[in-house]
Amino acid sequence: MRPEPAGEAPKLDAAQFDALAKHLRDAFRPRADELAALVPNGALSASIANTSVAAQAIWKRAQLTDAEFQSLTGADRDAGIEF
């Protein structure tokens, strides 16, 4: 559960990024104990970071090549998440 390279994700403006970060923290916080049991030391942060990168790629899909989109969202698709 290592974070995807955030530098490769399309950039959101500050308000969009803040809204996304808040939404993800609120969504993952109830599962913090479960994530920590699976992968101690950073599972919650890694989950938020990975999801943030994929969300940015989905949000800004038109700015990415197919290969870039696949590389930023592949782990989520491998886990069975469809967009």
Side-chain angles (χ1 to χ4, degrees), residues 25-83:
R25 281 191 311 274
D26 291 348
F28 277 99
R29 190 169 289 122
R31 298 188 69 188
D33 291 339
E34 176 185 349
L35 291 166
L38 292 172
V39 181
N41 302 322
L44 179 60
S45 295
S47 296
I48 291 170
N50 289 336
T51 304
S52 177
V53 168
Q56 290 173 68
I58 293 165
W59 200 328
K60 299 286 185 157
R61 172 66 179 103
Q63 296 177 0
L64 300 171
T65 66
D66 286 340
E68 290 169 330
F69 185 75
Q70 299 300 329
S71 73
L72 294 169
T73 60
D76 297 283
R77 280 190 321 283
D78 291 348
I81 299 171
E82 297 182 28
F83 336 105

Side-chain angles (χ1 to χ4, degrees), residues 16-33:
Q16 291 171 328
F17 187 82
D18 288 346
L20 175 61
K22 180 183 181 334
H23 179 76
L24 293 175
R25 281 191 311 274
D26 291 348
F28 277 99
R29 190 169 289 122
R31 298 188 69 188
D33 291 339

